[in-house]
Amino acid sequence: MLEVRKVFTVMEKTFIEGGKKVDNPVKMVAAIAVIKNPWAGRGFVENLKPEIDAYAPELGTLLVEELLNVVGSPDDVEAFGKAAVVGVDGEIEHASAYIHTLKFGNKYRDAVKGTSILSFTNKRGGAGTSITIPMVHKTDESQRSHYITFETNIPDAPRADEIVVAIGASTGGRPHPRTGNRHQDMKEMGLV
């Protein structure tokens, strides 16, 4: 059984960037679950698939519901990403196990009609470790305006035998983007 100690949801809304008002304030949201690491204390576990199959879909559903409660509509999500932090008694592979499976990622991608690969971070750390969620445009990862990062932390998580699993969303790109995109660069450089 998936053991969820807590769910943590955080939102940031930007009204002014670089001293200039943002016409459409950008909202960034993270929905995070703190779960018991099912592999902690078991030594090296060769096959992680039974727990991935059992818990990843449930975890994806839980986090998508939490995220959309704050964002509002799936249509409001323009950029997305994911992250995981395993406690110090776990392996990086334990963090990766849940976020690097379609059984988790497709719950989010399908809910917001995304086609891009969910950008990610996965790492090990103690309680209060920063949770860094890199994001890209949900349907066009070449849009540099949507290369954004949301960072937060939970003071008491992850504990040594826990995993923090997060998804993030943004309702827009960076305020006042001025760096173009990959397709524009390729044209200018004569690569297409």
Side-chain angles (χ1 to χ4, degrees):
M1 178 169 118
L2 179 64
E3 188 177 323
V4 179
R5 180 165 67 88
K6 68 167 70 177
V7 173
F8 180 81
T9 306
V10 61
M11 187 264 293
E12 169 187 290
K13 196 169 188 179
T14 301
F15 296 95
I16 298 172
E17 179 70 21
K20 182 179 176 185
K21 185 178 184 238
V22 177
D23 291 333
N24 295 311
V26 177
K27 186 189 300 183
M28 289 200 291
V29 178
I32 306 163
V34 179
I35 65 170
K36 175 88 170 150
N37 181 344
W39 303 290
R42 293 173 50 191
F44 184 84
V45 177
E46 185 65 41
N47 183 8
L48 306 181
K49 195 166 174 9
E51 291 82 3
I52 293 169
D53 290 348
Y55 307 140
E58 180 182 351
L59 194 53
T61 298
L62 169 71
L63 290 176
V64 168
E65 287 174 4
E66 291 292 326
L67 184 110
L68 292 178
N69 282 339
V70 177
V71 172
S73 165
D75 295 334
D76 292 335
V77 174
E78 287 189 19
F80 61 8
K82 59 188 176 180
V85 181
V86 67
V88 295
D89 286 350
E91 299 174 42
I92 297 293
E93 190 69 6
H94 298 165
S96 298
Y98 287 118
I99 65 171
H100 295 309
T101 174
L102 295 177
K103 294 169 183 164
F104 174 82
N106 278 358
K107 295 288 186 179
Y108 189 15
R109 195 177 292 102
D110 293 346
V112 299
K113 298 181 183 95
T115 55
S116 296
I117 292 175
L118 283 154
S119 55
F120 66 92
T121 58
N122 39 246
K123 62 184 178 181
R124 179 177 23 246
T129 295
S130 64
I131 304 159
T132 306
I133 307 170
M135 293 185 251
V136 298
H137 193 282
K138 70 179 182 180
T139 60
D140 183 358
E141 60 270 346
S142 73
Q143 293 299 319
R144 290 190 190 123
S145 58
H146 288 68
Y147 293 177
I148 51 181
T149 305
F150 189 52
E151 190 162 351
T152 190
N153 75 316
I154 303 174
D156 70 341
R159 293 177 179 164
D161 64 347
E162 291 179 330
I163 305 171
V164 169
V165 179
I167 59 174
S170 180
T171 61
R174 293 185 312 278
H176 320 305
R178 303 180 295 281
T179 57
N181 66 56
R182 188 176 57 206
H183 299 299
Q184 179 184 355
D185 285 357
M186 291 173 71
K187 261 186 181 173
E188 290 172 5
M189 296 170 70
L191 300 174
V192 289

